[in-house]
Amino acid sequence: MTRSKVLKVAGLTLAGLLVLGAGAAGWAYWHLDSNIKSVDINQALGDDRPAEGVRTPSAGVSESPLPTGSVNILVLGSDSRSGQENQALGGGSSTGARSDTAMVVHIDAGRKTATIVSIPRDTLVTRPSCPLKSGGSTAVAYNSMFNSAYEVGGPVCAVKTVESITDVRMDHYVEIDFAGFAKLVNALGGVTVTTDQNIDDNDSHLHLAAGTHHLDGTQALALARTRHGIGDGSDLGRIGLQQKLVKALLTQISSTNLLTDPARLYSVADALTGSLTTDTGLDSISELVSFGRSVQGLSAQNVRTVMMPVVIAPSDANRVVAKEPAASRLWASLR
């Protein structure tokens, strides 16, 4: 489920730490910083990637100017982390990792508007050869499900596969796990979502009548994973719910005054950093703060959510393929 705007919360972290006092602030900063896990995507993939976009600093004199250029972020919701909490919420084991949700978040130059593009996990793609941590590489796979990239090669292969089908450079990578997402929603006080139809999904354990509901973390996660209780039961219907949830989360974040509640601020920051795996460009509190400051003018009203255009795959009625030339036009608009 994606969720790059959530990183804006990190921009408030330092203000909260100041309230905690010098000693406690030092421990809290260390704890939040050490929470974050990272993967060196750039080193793993080398130079065989789409070109980087132009990065421009903000105007004015500053020791650490904020970037204002466009940026693309691959956001994955994953069941890859084992443990009691994730298993209780439906997560997989460490040997059965899958990317349950995939979104490319494009933030425009100036960082005041953004487009979030969902990629259906059932999309058939050509999965490129990906380097493995153990050495060697995976074989090229044709007509492979998109979410298999994460399963066979982790974040590195997920990024390489997205770049190969979009020809768009992923400047950053962000992954959030099941338990962490639920904790984050709870720390924010829940999230309010309006559904257009009844949801009755025994697999996700979510049963909601059409209308407006205030969901806790477990319910919000179930909404993001629901597919069998809506529409034709495909992944495409679930993407619509996920996009509603993204907008609702952005609204909840912007309406929650964390600066006046240090305890909640720390709870949100702890939930966020504890659930993240990022690329090495976002794997510290200072980097998250800088990124958060750079998008502080971005509001939920200026975030557009779309899905990569797809059609039913000729080879399998239960799978989809990119609809051309519409998909290529969409990706070209993000370069």
Side-chain angles (χ1 to χ4, degrees):
M1 351 190 124
T2 95
R3 305 165 182 82
S4 67
K5 185 65 172 7
V6 173
L7 295 178
K8 184 176 178 181
V9 174
L12 302 174
T13 302
L14 292 183
L17 296 179
L18 293 175
V19 181
L20 300 178
W27 176 87
Y29 188 97
W30 173 85
H31 174 72
L32 295 175
D33 208 53
S34 62
N35 267 348
I36 307 168
K37 301 174 179 64
S38 65
V39 178
D40 195 338
I41 302 290
N42 289 334
Q43 181 179 31
L45 294 184
D47 297 327
D48 185 21
R49 305 178 64 187
E52 288 187 80
V54 177
R55 299 289 172 261
T56 56
S58 58
V61 178
S62 172
E63 293 182 2
S64 300
L66 297 176
T68 60
S70 63
V71 63
N72 294 298
I73 306 167
L74 176 61
V75 178
L76 295 186
S78 171
D79 66 356
S80 64
R81 298 180 191 178
S82 58
Q84 287 185 332
E85 288 179 304
N86 276 317
Q87 289 171 0
L89 291 168
S93 69
S94 58
T95 58
R98 297 182 302 272
S99 54
D100 210 50
T101 302
M103 297 180 177
V104 173
V105 179
H106 173 80
I107 303 175
D108 295 310
R111 306 208 175 183
K112 296 186 184 301
T113 57
T115 299
I116 299 176
V117 183
S118 296
I119 302 176
R121 70 176 189 174
D122 294 339
T123 305
L124 296 181
V125 301
T126 296
R127 191 181 69 225
S129 175
C130 299
L132 296 172
K133 288 191 297 184
S134 58
S137 59
T138 65
V140 175
Y142 301 95
N143 290 317
S144 180
M145 277 182 59
F146 168 76
N147 71 338
S148 70
Y150 185 98
E151 187 172 5
V152 302
V156 170
C157 196
V159 169
K160 186 165 185 178
T161 300
V162 169
E163 291 185 342
S164 72
I165 65 176
T166 66
D167 197 28
V168 176
R169 173 113 173 188
M170 295 299 109
D171 302 295
H172 292 298
Y173 170 83
V174 175
E175 176 189 328
I176 188 167
D177 68 18
F178 282 177
F181 177 75
K183 285 180 179 179
L184 179 61
V185 172
N186 284 334
L188 287 167
V191 61
T192 300
V193 177
T194 299
T195 62
D196 301 326
Q197 56 185 302
N198 297 334
I199 296 175
D200 189 22
D201 189 347
N202 290 326
D203 289 343
S204 69
H205 309 294
L206 186 66
H207 304 278
L208 294 176
T212 300
H213 303 273
H214 191 74
L215 309 180
D216 63 18
T218 300
Q219 292 171 314
L221 177 62
L223 181 69
R225 303 190 68 216
T226 289
R227 64 185 293 181
H228 298 296
I230 56 169
D232 62 0
S234 73
D235 193 45
L236 306 188
R238 176 169 61 176
I239 284 175
L241 292 178
Q242 291 173 348
Q243 292 178 341
K244 282 180 179 288
L245 184 57
V246 167
K247 284 294 192 78
L249 276 172
L250 299 184
T251 300
Q252 179 68 20
I253 291 168
S254 63
S255 65
T256 304
N257 192 354
L258 297 174
L259 288 177
T260 63
D261 189 345
R264 175 174 284 188
L265 170 65
Y266 180 79
S267 178
V268 169
D270 191 35
L272 173 66
T273 57
S275 64
L276 285 183
T277 299
T278 73
D279 67 284
T280 50
L282 287 177
D283 64 351
S284 70
I285 289 297
S286 61
E287 287 166 328
L288 289 176
V289 166
S290 177
F291 178 81
R293 289 176 58 210
S294 79
V295 296
Q296 61 187 351
L298 181 63
S299 65
Q301 292 74 23
N302 291 327
V303 175
R304 179 174 66 118
T305 56
V306 298
M307 183 179 72
M308 182 182 77
V310 294
V311 295
I312 300 299
S315 61
D316 187 341
N318 295 315
R319 302 288 179 259
V320 295
V321 293
K323 180 181 180 180
E324 296 295 358
S328 292
R329 285 199 297 263
L330 173 62
W331 298 126
S333 71
L334 306 187
R335 293 185 193 121

